[in-house]
Each structure stands twice: as structure tokens, then as C-alpha cells.
Amino acid sequence: LTVALGQIGNFLAYTAVPTVLVTPLGALGVPFGSILASYLLKEKLNILGKLGCLLSCAGSVVLIIHSPKSESVTTQAELEEKLTNPVFVGYLCIVLLMLLLLIFWIAPAHGPTNIMVYISICSLLGSFTVPSTKGIGLAAQDIFHNNPSSQRALYLCLVLLAVLGCSIIIQFRYINKALECFDSSVFGAIYYVVFTTLVLLASAILFREWSNVGVVDFLGMACGFTTVSIGIVLIQVFKEFNFSIGDLNKPNMKTD
């Protein structure tokens, strides 16, 4: 139930605010989950994990302050125009070619030994997942209207739903493969950074949400995303380290 509510919240967020803000903020589930687990499940949260939670929250605040204040695509007609843009079509062709190479040639040979293979597949599929989710929200606004564009909106929504469903199913398959071969903490940290980067790239090409962002705001968002990423790495990768503030007060015993 909570997962379903979370996905509904993500869907509503993608239809209401720019993708460049929603996707990086999805990482807030990691520090909040770690804090709740430390209180409810009595899991130990070391000093590095606490620092990671602080950095994730601080970076998220910076992202919110410097994010675009308005949507660049707000109607179905604008969405259709963006989808047929030659630059975005070329980007999709490159992504599809890379996915074919990774899935059919590279993954069978190097997937179990190289964590970046499975992460690359899942992250490239995210280039379809997040824009499709946002597109469905935009197309759904015209489906129930009695106008000539409602039929086209229905067809567009069905196509995007099919793309979304296929990409999610393939992502789940390779995420499970990765978790069978690699540590979940390391995979989760690297996956967040690569996935978010590629989703932001796809959204920038499709929706052009960066067109109204100044240099200061761009640098602010880059710093915020970097801060959040460092926080996620500290929480996920170093959570097994037995290190606390009390260890700093221990005398350094040297032997001759």
C-alpha cells in the first residue's frame, strides 16, 4: 500500500512540477527510510550515515531553491511537437542502439562481473520511464474533453503506457539480476547517480526545462545534485562501518 501511494505521489509530482526537480528529490526516501529504520527497527545509523542524511536534505533544499519555476510543456500539442523533434528522435535512436548492444551482447558476457552493465541498462530505460510518466499526465488532461484532439490524446496515452510498462518490466528484470550478483548498497548508490543523470538528460532534450534556467541556478542545481549524491553514497555504501563520534575521543595508543 505504501509503495503504491508513493508511486501515485510520484506520478502527480511529474505532472505538476518540472522533472529536473522531482527526479533528484526521489533520493529523499533513502535518508528518511534510514532514520525511520534506526528508530522503529533499531538499526544502527553510524556517524557517516547521519552526515549523509544531513547532506541529502541540504542538497534537496538547494535543488528546490534553484529549480525552474514553471513548466516548459503544458499541453498535448506541445508534447507531440517535442516528441517529433529531430534532436529527441536522434537521442532515442542512440539509446535504443545502446540498449540492444548492452542487453544482447555485453550483458550475457560481462553483466555478472561488471556492475555498470546492469546499471547502464536500467538507467537508459529510465530515459523512457520518467518522460513517459510525465507525458501520460499531460495527455490525460485532454482525453475526457469533447474536442477533436481527445482521440489523439487517447492514442498518445496508450502508446506512452505501453512504453512505460515495457521499460518498467525490463528494469525490474535487470535490477533483480544485479542484486543477485552485487551488494545492494553499492548498486543502489551508483544506480541513483547514473539513473538521475540520464533521466535529467532525456528530460532536458524532450521538455527543454533548462531553457529558462540561468547560469547561477544551473550551478546551484548541479551543486545540490552533487551534494545529494554524496549523501546517498555515505548512507548506502558506508552503513556497515562501525564508526561513531565516541571513537574520536579514544586516545591513539602507539607502541614502540
Side-chain angles (χ1 to χ4, degrees):
L1 178 59
T2 56
V3 172
L5 291 175
Q7 294 304 317
I8 293 173
N10 281 335
F11 178 80
L12 295 176
Y14 280 122
T15 59
V17 297
T19 308
V20 296
L21 176 61
V22 179
T23 306
L25 289 183
L28 285 176
V30 176
F32 288 156
S34 300
I35 294 173
L36 289 175
S38 66
Y39 285 101
L40 300 180
L41 304 178
K42 305 303 180 182
E43 293 184 2
K44 186 176 181 180
L45 185 63
N46 59 26
I47 185 62
L48 294 178
K50 294 176 182 177
L51 179 61
C53 293
L54 179 62
L55 289 175
S56 298
C57 294
S60 299
V61 173
V62 175
L63 282 171
I64 294 173
I65 293 174
H66 294 282
S67 66
K69 302 303 185 289
S70 61
E71 289 277 20
S72 59
V73 178
T74 57
T75 64
Q76 174 205 338
E78 292 177 348
L79 176 62
E80 292 179 357
E81 180 183 354
K82 300 295 185 184
L83 288 173
T84 56
N85 186 282
V87 177
F88 182 70
V89 173
Y91 171 78
L92 284 184
C93 293
I94 294 174
V95 171
L96 287 173
L97 179 60
M98 294 177 65
L99 283 172
L100 290 175
L101 290 173
L102 286 168
I103 292 175
F104 294 104
W105 281 278
I106 300 178
H110 304 287
T113 57
N114 191 330
I115 192 173
M116 290 304 300
V117 175
Y118 292 144
I119 287 178
S120 299
I121 294 174
C122 297
S123 300
L124 287 171
L125 287 168
S127 301
F128 300 104
T129 303
V130 175
S132 296
T133 302
K134 190 174 183 66
I136 291 170
L138 292 173
Q141 297 175 5
D142 294 334
I143 290 179
F144 302 103
H145 294 170
N146 293 324
N147 54 51
S149 64
S150 61
Q151 194 71 18
R152 295 179 60 183
L154 177 60
Y155 292 145
L156 178 60
C157 188
L158 291 176
V159 171
L160 292 176
L161 277 173
V163 173
L164 178 63
C166 292
S167 61
I168 289 176
I169 291 173
I170 299 175
Q171 282 184 73
F172 279 157
R173 177 186 178 187
Y174 283 96
I175 287 175
N176 289 331
K177 284 179 174 288
L179 295 179
E180 292 176 357
C181 302
F182 306 101
D183 182 80
S184 60
S185 300
V186 176
F187 173 80
I190 301 176
Y191 177 54
Y192 165 77
V193 177
V194 180
F195 174 84
T196 304
T197 302
L198 291 180
V199 167
L200 292 180
L201 175 62
S203 301
I205 295 174
L206 176 59
F207 300 111
R208 300 184 181 179
E209 294 173 335
W210 296 95
S211 58
N212 297 324
V213 177
V215 176
V216 175
D217 288 331
F218 176 80
L219 293 176
M221 292 198 67
C223 292
F225 173 57
T226 303
T227 304
V228 173
S229 300
I230 294 173
I232 297 301
V233 171
L234 290 177
I235 297 172
Q236 294 284 78
V237 178
F238 299 100
K239 65 180 181 180
E240 300 297 334
F241 278 40
N242 294 320
F243 181 74
S244 63
I245 297 179
D247 295 332
L248 298 176
N249 298 323
K250 292 181 179 180
N252 187 13
M253 302 298 294
K254 295 182 177 180
T255 56
D256 294 332

